[in-house]
Amino acid sequence: MTTQPALVAPGRRPPDEWLIGFARALRGAGLHVTADRERTFLAALTEVGLGERRDVYWAGRATLTSSPADVERFDQVFTAWFNGRPMEQTHSAPPSQLPPVRQASLEEDTASGQGGPEDDDDVVRARASGQELLRQRDVAALDRAERAQLARLFERLHPLAPVRPARRHVPRRAGAVDGPATLREQLRRVGEPGPVRHHRRGSRTRRVVLLIDVSGSMSAYADSLLRLAHRFVHAAPTTEVFTMGTRLTHVTRALRERDPDRALLAAGAVVPDWSGGTRLGDALGAFLDRWGRRGMARGAVVVLFSDGWERSGPEVLGEQMRRLGALAHRVVWVNPHRGKAGYQPIQQGIVAALPHIDDFVAGHSFATFEELIEVIAHA
């Protein structure tokens, strides 16, 4: 077995900075590399070390890829970043001299009624749960039964609204000394020494605004996106939700219905342009003129769910995105095609909007919805 050469950070850069740069290069190439995955990657390297190129490759592939479709792009970035030749047999299991991994089935053997210590001598493949497979599936490709199962998964989501510093201070056990409070404490004690009071700036939740494209090209995702919006409305009361098609519709009140199925029916009753055309620029302009400039978008995290197909000229959308970027704290664009292999942002609407977007993320599966929640919570 040929030993791979040790990896040395170019220019004697700190190893952490060098490796985080590699993870972010993967993110720039289209892989779903979150902050948690970066930390997991670094933790894995603390175990295997940086002495062998092969060890670094498999640690990165195990922690920074989401599906087999990511492997080809991972190999390209790895080869370019570490300035070496491609790894051999990167699409097969890594060679190992370790003893075989002993696994146990997660399913009960109801057919044979057997199972016990004697079965431990065999290596048993643990079948991944159906729910885990469903999390990675494109929601547009699910059948009716799978959609019903996915709807139940949404109940597990607990979105968190992002926070911002408040103007007022609140008492804390540590922090800056609160002079007025300390003085009042001394006066209450008639000059006797007392505890020093501290305070820190408080925090307030930021408003989250969800703008959901319900045109024909997004109809396969509309149900799941509205279920996600329903979870946001109930977890973060400052959330506002609009649908966009040939017109703009405010659906927050309909989504406040506690039962998700009833909420979606209520939203469907007030949205007149399901599966119609797309006028993103005009709809976004209507939002900014009627709600955004009056305060709803100021300092908010605004999330647009759309594939970027625009019936009107892209210049209108580009101008409205510029206005939105000037008002909002952060602009997130969720594209269901973003996480698919071979996707390129070439639609006219996306090209016009990209300069004004802070986060451009995927939104085609339940797993990407979970990652989106993390992006919004840390915005």
Side-chain angles (χ1 to χ4, degrees):
M1 175 177 170
T2 303
T3 302
Q4 295 288 335
L7 295 175
V8 180
R12 296 183 178 180
R13 296 168 59 189
D16 285 355
E17 178 183 341
W18 179 51
L19 295 168
I20 288 296
F22 168 59
R24 292 177 179 174
L26 291 172
R27 184 186 304 161
L31 273 67
H32 300 300
V33 180
T34 63
D36 285 342
R37 290 184 179 180
E38 290 178 0
R39 289 191 290 268
T40 304
F41 174 49
L42 295 178
L45 289 178
T46 61
E47 297 294 330
V48 302
L50 298 175
E52 297 289 338
R53 183 169 182 259
R54 182 178 299 278
D55 292 339
V56 177
Y57 171 84
W58 285 110
R61 180 166 159 180
T63 57
L64 300 176
T65 61
S66 304
S67 68
D70 292 341
V71 174
E72 182 177 356
R73 280 178 290 176
F74 177 87
D75 289 350
Q76 294 172 352
V77 176
F78 182 88
T79 302
W81 187 264
F82 295 110
N83 195 23
R85 67 181 187 277
M87 296 293 296
E88 300 84 359
Q89 299 178 349
T90 58
H91 293 277
S92 60
S96 175
Q97 301 300 322
L98 298 175
V101 178
R102 306 175 70 86
Q103 298 176 325
S105 174
L106 301 180
E107 305 291 338
E108 295 183 0
D109 189 355
T110 57
S112 63
Q114 298 178 354
E118 64 273 11
D119 296 330
D120 291 342
D121 294 335
D122 300 326
V123 177
V124 183
R125 294 182 180 179
R127 296 191 299 175
S129 70
Q131 287 185 348
E132 178 60 28
L133 295 176
L134 189 63
R135 289 179 62 255
Q136 306 295 334
R137 293 276 305 279
D138 189 331
V139 298
L142 302 180
D143 58 30
R144 179 174 297 181
E146 290 170 331
R147 286 181 179 274
Q149 186 178 0
L150 182 68
R152 291 191 291 271
L153 285 182
F154 276 96
E155 299 177 3
R156 301 182 180 182
L157 294 180
H158 300 285
L160 296 176
V163 297
R164 62 178 178 86
R167 293 183 179 180
R168 294 185 177 182
H169 289 74
V170 293
R172 288 289 188 272
R173 292 185 176 181
V177 174
D178 186 348
T182 302
L183 179 59
R184 287 194 297 270
E185 180 66 21
Q186 301 299 323
L187 292 175
R188 190 180 68 82
R189 294 171 174 265
V190 197
E192 293 292 330
V196 176
R197 301 299 183 183
H198 300 269
H199 65 178
R200 292 181 182 175
R201 290 190 66 177
S203 61
R204 298 183 61 183
T205 57
R206 287 190 183 276
R207 179 179 286 109
V208 177
V209 180
L210 308 180
L211 303 174
I212 302 175
D213 184 350
V214 294
S215 62
S217 60
M218 289 287 294
S219 59
Y221 299 95
D223 180 88
S224 296
L225 295 180
L226 284 173
R227 289 184 184 276
L228 177 63
H230 178 262
R231 296 302 303 157
F232 266 98
V233 168
H234 287 272
T238 56
T239 302
E240 298 288 346
V241 185
F242 296 81
T243 61
M244 301 184 298
T246 56
R247 63 183 66 188
L248 181 74
T249 307
H250 192 193
V251 296
T252 306
R253 181 175 299 177
L255 293 179
R256 288 201 177 109
E257 175 71 41
R258 178 62 59 181
D259 181 77
D261 294 323
R262 294 170 64 91
L264 263 64
L265 287 174
V270 299
V271 176
D273 52 348
W274 289 104
S275 302
T278 312
R279 296 172 57 188
L280 295 178
D282 293 337
L284 186 55
F287 165 72
L288 291 172
D289 292 338
R290 185 170 180 180
W291 287 280
R293 289 192 307 175
R294 298 180 180 180
M296 186 177 289
R298 294 186 186 276
V301 177
V302 181
V303 187
L304 296 95
F305 299 84
S306 177
D307 54 6
W309 289 106
E310 171 66 304
R311 192 174 72 178
S312 304
E315 299 82 6
V316 177
L317 178 59
E319 173 60 21
Q320 300 306 325
M321 288 295 297
R322 184 197 63 80
R323 294 176 59 200
L324 176 62
L327 288 174
H329 169 70
R330 200 162 188 86
V331 177
V332 182
W333 190 297
V334 183
N335 189 319
H337 306 302
R338 176 72 170 85
K340 300 178 183 179
Y343 169 76
Q344 295 293 331
I346 59 175
Q347 296 87 354
Q348 290 184 342
I350 290 294
V351 172
L354 274 177
H356 313 288
I357 295 173
D358 296 300
D359 297 287
F360 186 41
V361 301
H364 65 286
S365 66
F366 188 83
T368 59
F369 296 156
E370 293 176 316
E371 293 178 2
L372 172 63
I373 288 175
E374 181 181 351
V375 170
I376 295 175
H378 293 88

